[in-house]
Amino acid sequence: MTTSPTKLLKNNYKLADRAIEMRSVDKVYQFLKITGRHIGADFDSLRALKNISFNIYKGEILGIIGRNGAGKTTLLNIIAGVLSPTRGEIKVTGKVLGLFNLGIGFQDQLTGRENIFLNGALMGAAKKELEDKLGCIIEFSELGNFIDMPLGTYSQGMRLRLGFSIIVNLDFDILAIDEVLAVGDALFQSKCFERLMDLRRSGKTLVVTNQGMDLVERLCDNVVLLDHGRMLFYGNTTEGVNKYHALLKTEKFFVGLKQETGLVENTKKWAEDTSNWGNELGTKEAAIKKVELINKSGLRPYGIRSGKPLRIKVYFEAKNPIKEPHFGIAIFRQDGVYCYGPNTKFDGHDIPEISPGKGYFELFLSKLLLAPGEYRVSVAIWDKNETLPFSYREGYYKLIVKGNNKTGQLLNLPCIFHSKAYFNLRRKNNGIVDPSMLDDKWGLKIDADGIRVDSVKILDHDDKEQETFITGGQAKLIVSFDKPFNDAKRYVWLGIYRDDGVYCQGISQRAGRSKDFKAAFLELPLLPGGYKISIGVWDGSMRRFLMYHHGIYPFRMVFNRKDHGTVYLQHKWRWTEK
Amino acid sequence: MLKEIFRRRDLIRELVLKDLKIRYSRPLLGFAWAFLSPLLTVAIFYVVFSVILQVKTKEAPFLLYLMSAVFTWRFFQDSVASSTTSLVDNKNLVLESQLPHYLIPLSIILANAVNFLPSLFILIITSLFFLKGLPVFIVFLPVILAVHLILTTGISLISSIVYVRFRDMKYVVEALLPILFYLTPAFYSIYLVKDSLPPSLFNLYIYNPFVGVLFLYRLAVLRGFYPAIGEEIGLPGLIICPLIFSAIIFLLGIRFYKRNEKNINDHISY
């Protein structure tokens, strides 16, 4: 390399020339769609980039960050000139080199030296230039005599070294690097990093994508944050990286937009992909050894009774000291419905460090408000930002809630009818209402002769009609019919459903002499999200609905803190200190 | 485009060298296969058509008649067949380096052309030996080679770009190439064709670029070939038709490339 220790351009790069100018760049991909009987040239399109504009100045290092599928590689390809924008324009001053892979066009049959010429020519170098730099390239690659062996005899590390040393020794003004440097061992990475710093010093313009946020933070002057093809942020690196971390933790697409209130309106997840269950993930710096499910008496029975306390005790062993971990435990129903997943971070516990050796953490649930059935428990020790777990056992442990659940409901929330407390599932002679026959009737209203619903009201603690309730607050449901039923075989049924149709809780009561049907939850523990209420009149002797309004009456839950799942369970944490 | 080819000449050379090195660096006999392989092909055809079927051609000795057709056809067929899938086969090269797409089929054709030279050499030597001399047209051999190259490039360029979007192209090419081969007078005399076709169709046949290019080669290499067919085809028609056809196909190829250049990368990776 013929680079003298030139001055750092960083401080005045705003005054420097623009290396790359992007003006409202759009990129649309078209896919061939095979329709029906004939195979036609029909195209589906995907907008990979939407209205991207920014400048890259000479001597600047720009990071492009974003989650998977955000459009990073597409953007980089456009900068490198491999793809052209569908709309908008890009102006590039200087010679761009796109590095999407180390060792492009490497041929196993050719020797290292021959591959240098081939790869170099592919990257746009003239033979003369390569001949001049051959010495530097071979020296930097540390391959020695191997350079005249066929490439097929090389190890993966040697290939990477050769590929990288060709690239960094070539002549260019702008280098666009995709996530290639994430490969290779630590030594190789540090060498690459060192070289990138050299390039920065010599005033080259670099564009890099997520190489791990540490590297981005150290290397980049500015970042572009992409999400779903949109540019959410362009500017200062620290701010951009923080926004990226915030993005990782939320399902909301636009972190840049203001949030209306401090209240959380959606739980992060409602369902889990069950295909990973039984897997053990993580870096294994701390390993989860054993999990115990303990009841009120300190025993470990086969099943836990619904509504009773549960203690989940997790034993782990740490190999290294682990900085700022947090513990998480999540409970899923057998089919993947997310019940509850508290973690120490949401609960505001700061755990500075776990020291090496054995330890445990415990979660006490004061009331297990889950309906009888089979559940799975995931246990994890996470790092600070929940990016990579130290140890994560997904859906690994089976939790049995004892009892008989004929109605398929998820929860067993305490509720009050006419000031008398019931755990409705355990009541005898209640004419168990089976709403599974309504499974395909979502959103339908079927009325019967002689039964007319006057009103359905959801009230808060002040008896005011509301659409939004806070988790843990009081809620009353009042259904008014036009006249009392006076039929002992009729039951009024109220079902609470999640927006996605998961049956959370049913309440049923023999229709009495009153025309109003009332139920109250003193503490409605549903987690944020949209819910729907269904009502129906059940004929106990014929086991069918006389009328129903299924999934008609909506309400929302919000919460003043973050939590995962469907139902908030009162809990506390304990863990071994140091 | 020509300027760009000149600018990237180092790259083209490396790509061609790569192709040849991969072909001949590992086999024990190495580059000797460039001579052996066409000879073996011709040997098979010769046994089948001359020894068994007793085919005779009055234009030239059958062996030379056959060699001139098989060697030149092999170059064309190998080039077109491997060029068609080349853009997709080398999608990593295309996507990861900013090389212009057409360089990939072009380098394959050039490598095949280099590979073709030994067989052309064999043809000339054999012709010199059997016919005791070469026609005066041999001086135009480089021009003929260039015409053949241009024709092949034009067709390969089009088929390789079509293949990126419509993967059916591979099968179409695979089906068309043998048909075209059997349509050219490789192991039958054109007089045979003349007898079985009406005059208008025969003219169409004789002036089509594939037959035309083959005739140009034979004109340049086989002594006594032109006198034998001279009464059927005039010299100007024989020379000008393939030239014009090749030029048209080549220009069409370039136009087609220019129109599709920007979309190729969008469709190449799946």
Side-chain angles (χ1 to χ4, degrees):
Chain A
M1 286 262 306
T2 50
T3 51
S4 53
T6 42
K7 60 181 184 303
L8 245 165
L9 290 168
K10 196 187 168 193
N11 295 331
N12 55 347
Y13 66 79
K14 291 282 176 201
L15 301 170
D17 300 331
R18 285 168 185 169
I20 293 169
E21 252 185 285
M22 284 215 149
R23 290 286 158 268
S24 46
V25 164
D26 272 21
K27 180 72 194 173
V28 182
Y29 285 114
Q30 293 199 319
F31 298 99
L32 196 64
K33 191 171 69 181
I34 294 166
T35 45
R37 265 168 286 163
H38 73 289
I39 298 168
D42 241 359
F43 295 99
D44 257 350
S45 61
L46 172 98
R47 225 167 142 204
L49 291 178
K50 294 161 195 159
N51 199 12
I52 309 282
S53 308
F54 60 86
N55 296 322
I56 306 175
Y57 297 89
K58 281 201 174 131
E60 183 186 2
I61 301 188
L62 180 86
I64 299 176
I65 57 177
R67 298 183 295 181
N68 287 339
K72 293 175 304 233
T73 302
T74 306
L75 182 57
L76 212 63
N77 268 294
I78 288 176
I79 290 172
V82 177
L83 296 175
S84 44
T86 313
R87 276 182 290 278
E89 65 170 330
I90 170 166
K91 254 192 248 166
V92 178
T93 322
K95 188 177 172 195
V96 198
L97 218 55
L99 180 51
F100 299 98
N101 209 339
L102 286 174
I104 297 156
F106 269 7
Q107 297 292 329
D108 280 351
Q109 293 97 325
L110 305 185
T111 66
R113 192 186 298 271
E114 286 167 332
N115 270 304
I116 292 176
F117 284 99
L118 177 60
N119 179 267
L122 280 167
M123 301 308 294
K127 194 171 184 196
K128 178 91 177 45
E129 185 190 343
L130 287 167
E131 275 167 352
D132 290 347
K133 288 179 177 164
L134 193 62
C136 293
I137 295 173
I138 296 175
E139 190 188 342
F140 187 79
S141 71
E142 297 172 1
L143 283 169
N145 291 332
F146 267 100
I147 202 71
D148 287 315
M149 298 279 283
L151 197 75
T153 62
Y154 285 27
S155 72
Q156 202 57 35
M158 290 159 83
R159 280 163 188 264
L160 290 175
R161 288 212 301 271
L162 183 61
F164 189 73
S165 58
I166 298 170
I167 288 288
V168 293
N169 282 296
L170 292 180
D171 209 25
F172 59 84
D173 301 310
I174 303 160
L175 181 64
I177 313 174
D178 205 355
E179 304 176 355
V180 287
L181 303 184
V183 295
D185 58 10
L187 199 70
F188 174 72
Q189 281 196 18
S190 72
K191 204 170 164 183
C192 294
F193 189 70
E194 198 186 312
R195 195 54 182 240
L196 292 181
M197 287 304 201
D198 277 354
L199 292 172
R200 172 202 183 131
R201 264 195 296 280
S202 62
K204 306 274 188 199
T205 310
L206 297 178
V207 185
V208 300
T209 50
N210 293 34
Q211 311 272 348
M213 285 304 126
D214 295 345
L215 198 129
V216 168
E217 275 188 282
R218 276 176 64 187
L219 205 61
C220 299
D221 301 310
N222 277 324
V223 293
V224 167
L225 175 61
L226 292 179
D227 200 44
H228 292 77
R230 282 176 211 277
M231 190 169 80
L232 296 185
F233 177 80
Y234 165 58
N236 177 276
T237 303
T238 322
E239 206 178 322
V241 169
N242 287 341
K243 283 208 154 70
Y244 171 75
H245 283 311
L247 187 67
L248 279 183
K249 283 185 283 177
T250 162
E251 273 298 302
K252 289 205 188 270
F253 294 170
F254 312 109
V255 283
L257 304 180
K258 68 178 174 76
Q259 299 207 343
E260 288 151 37
T261 57
L263 294 172
V264 179
E265 298 196 342
N266 252 315
T267 42
K268 189 180 167 195
K269 285 195 259 176
W270 263 6
E272 180 85 355
D273 179 10
T274 58
S275 61
N276 278 333
W277 279 7
N279 285 348
E280 222 184 314
L281 308 167
T283 58
K284 308 278 159 62
E285 283 156 84
I288 290 164
K289 294 287 179 205
K290 193 170 69 164
V291 170
E292 286 177 352
L293 304 173
I294 303 165
N295 71 4
K296 179 171 64 173
S297 334
L299 301 172
R300 281 175 278 138
Y302 173 70
I304 305 288
R305 301 254 301 266
S306 188
K308 296 292 176 199
L310 168 67
R311 186 148 62 100
I312 302 175
K313 188 168 184 178
V314 181
Y315 296 89
F316 62 83
E317 190 173 348
K319 284 186 199 143
N320 313 320
I322 290 172
K323 290 238 156 35
E324 296 182 75
H326 66 266
F327 304 120
I329 291 180
I331 303 173
F332 302 91
R333 195 163 71 179
Q334 192 71 8
D335 59 353
V337 172
Y338 203 142
C339 302
Y340 191 42
N343 66 50
T344 52
K345 195 177 177 204
F346 287 169
D347 291 333
H349 300 298
D350 282 325
I351 305 164
E353 195 182 86
I354 309 177
S355 43
K358 289 181 179 168
Y360 70 90
F361 62 93
E362 275 182 314
L363 172 70
F364 294 92
L365 298 169
S366 51
K367 274 178 188 169
L368 189 61
L369 300 175
L370 300 174
E374 275 190 28
Y375 297 83
R376 292 291 193 107
V377 177
S378 292
V379 180
I381 304 175
W382 285 97
D383 59 358
K384 187 179 158 197
N385 293 323
E386 218 169 289
T387 40
L388 191 67
F390 295 111
S391 182
Y392 186 10
R393 296 202 162 190
E394 216 179 334
Y396 211 81
Y397 303 96
K398 199 179 264 187
L399 166 67
I400 308 267
V401 179
K402 277 196 285 196
N404 202 346
N405 182 355
K406 284 184 183 157
T407 62
Q409 65 188 20
L410 177 68
L411 306 176
N412 193 7
L413 308 177
C415 78
I416 299 170
F417 304 110
H418 299 281
S419 11
K420 191 179 170 193
Y422 285 101
F423 289 89
N424 62 310
L425 271 178
R426 287 198 277 132
R427 280 188 309 167
K428 300 280 186 242
N429 291 328
N430 188 14
I432 290 166
V433 176
D434 179 11
S436 66
M437 62 180 62
L438 298 179
D439 278 354
D440 54 346
K441 308 282 197 305
W442 186 253
L444 290 183
K445 277 180 166 183
I446 303 294
D447 286 313
D449 285 345
I451 304 172
R452 208 167 57 81
V453 180
D454 264 356
S455 67
V456 177
K457 286 180 191 156
I458 316 171
L459 309 176
D460 67 2
H461 57 281
D462 286 335
D463 287 340
K464 267 196 273 181
E465 209 171 332
Q466 292 285 356
E467 289 233 319
T468 307
F469 295 84
I470 195 152
T471 302
Q474 208 183 94
K476 288 178 207 158
L477 305 169
I478 301 178
V479 182
S480 309
F481 294 93
D482 62 337
K483 56 176 190 275
F485 288 100
N486 288 326
D487 183 337
K489 294 285 184 198
R490 301 274 158 89
Y491 293 85
V492 175
W493 167 79
L494 273 175
I496 300 175
Y497 284 81
R498 289 194 335 199
D499 252 355
D500 59 351
V502 169
Y503 183 33
C504 297
Q505 171 93 356
I507 309 155
S508 55
Q509 195 201 11
R510 189 165 289 166
R513 289 200 193 100
S514 165
K515 62 188 177 69
D516 289 343
F517 174 82
K518 293 179 193 161
F521 295 95
L522 292 179
E523 292 176 332
L524 186 63
L526 296 173
L527 283 173
Y531 293 83
K532 295 259 166 62
I533 288 180
S534 304
I535 59 170
V537 176
W538 176 257
D539 184 325
S541 52
M542 291 170 72
R543 304 199 53 76
R544 65 183 181 86
F545 283 99
L546 296 172
M547 61 73 65
Y548 55 84
H549 293 177
H550 189 36
I552 302 293
Y553 308 98
F555 69 97
R556 282 199 79 77
M557 299 299 299
V558 293
F559 202 7
N560 55 10
R561 42 168 286 181
K562 276 198 285 189
D563 241 333
H564 293 332
T566 315
V567 63
Y568 175 77
L569 303 178
Q570 289 251 327
H571 62 271
K572 58 184 188 225
W573 291 92
R574 206 170 76 184
W575 61 90
T576 43
E577 302 279 351
K578 286 275 166 178
Chain B
M1 205 168 188
L2 278 176
K3 226 165 94 185
E4 192 169 36
I5 291 176
F6 181 75
R7 205 162 51 76
R8 305 299 295 263
R9 62 190 184 280
D10 282 341
L11 172 60
I12 296 172
R13 191 188 47 237
E14 287 301 330
L15 287 174
V16 171
L17 277 178
K18 174 203 88 176
D19 223 32
L20 292 172
K21 276 179 188 161
I22 287 174
R23 240 184 260 192
Y24 297 117
S25 71
R26 285 291 282 151
L28 280 180
L29 294 181
F31 198 64
W33 279 112
F35 294 87
L36 284 176
S37 156
L39 281 178
L40 285 172
T41 322
V42 162
I44 294 165
F45 276 116
Y46 188 75
V47 169
V48 172
F49 288 102
S50 187
V51 180
I52 303 173
L53 293 175
Q54 303 281 326
V55 176
K56 293 270 183 296
T57 45
K58 82 178 194 196
E59 293 97 329
F62 183 71
L63 179 66
L64 287 167
Y65 194 76
L66 184 68
M67 277 167 100
S68 56
V70 170
F71 290 172
T72 50
W73 183 262
R74 264 174 62 103
F75 161 62
F76 176 74
Q77 173 180 295
D78 291 354
S79 303
V80 174
S82 46
S83 300
T84 301
T85 58
S86 64
L87 286 178
V88 176
D89 292 344
N90 292 292
K91 64 180 176 211
N92 291 337
L93 288 193
V94 176
L95 291 175
E96 290 162 1
S97 68
Q98 295 107 307
L99 92 165
H101 303 96
Y102 62 84
L103 288 188
I104 287 176
L106 186 65
S107 70
I108 287 176
I109 291 163
L110 287 177
N112 276 311
V114 174
N115 203 33
F116 171 51
L117 292 178
S119 42
L120 201 57
F121 179 71
I122 296 172
L123 178 64
I124 293 169
I125 296 294
T126 326
S127 168
L128 187 66
F129 180 74
F130 274 103
L131 300 171
K132 315 234 167 2
L134 290 168
V136 61
F137 296 111
I138 188 90
V139 295
F140 291 112
L141 194 62
V143 181
I144 296 167
L145 202 59
V147 171
H148 199 190
L149 212 62
I150 283 173
L151 175 71
T152 312
T153 310
I155 291 173
S156 302
L157 198 56
I158 295 173
S159 70
S160 63
I161 294 166
V162 172
Y163 181 70
V164 170
R165 197 115 176 209
F166 301 99
R167 302 291 158 94
D168 316 69
M169 197 58 192
K170 182 185 170 196
Y171 302 102
V172 172
V173 166
E174 272 173 9
L176 278 182
L177 280 174
I179 296 175
L180 277 176
F181 179 57
Y182 288 107
L183 277 179
T184 56
F187 28 68
Y188 49 83
S189 161
I190 56 159
Y191 290 101
L192 219 67
V193 184
K194 195 193 171 198
D195 293 344
S196 50
L197 285 182
S200 55
L201 269 182
F202 177 69
N203 277 334
L204 193 69
Y205 174 81
I206 212 81
Y207 292 120
N208 92 60
F210 302 103
V211 177
V213 168
L214 175 58
F215 278 8
L216 285 183
Y217 276 110
R218 285 175 175 168
L219 196 63
V221 177
L222 308 182
R223 205 165 75 126
F225 180 74
Y226 182 66
I229 61 156
E231 53 191 89
E232 294 306 324
I233 320 161
L235 196 58
L238 186 66
I239 293 169
I240 290 168
C241 275
L243 277 175
I244 291 176
F245 272 118
S246 304
I248 289 175
I249 288 177
F250 184 66
L251 291 176
L252 275 178
I254 291 177
R255 212 178 119 82
F256 189 61
Y257 171 72
K258 290 272 180 215
R259 285 179 62 155
N260 288 286
E261 194 182 0
K262 294 211 182 305
N263 315 327
I264 292 175
N265 284 359
D266 295 348
H267 300 281
I268 209 165
S269 47
Y270 59 94

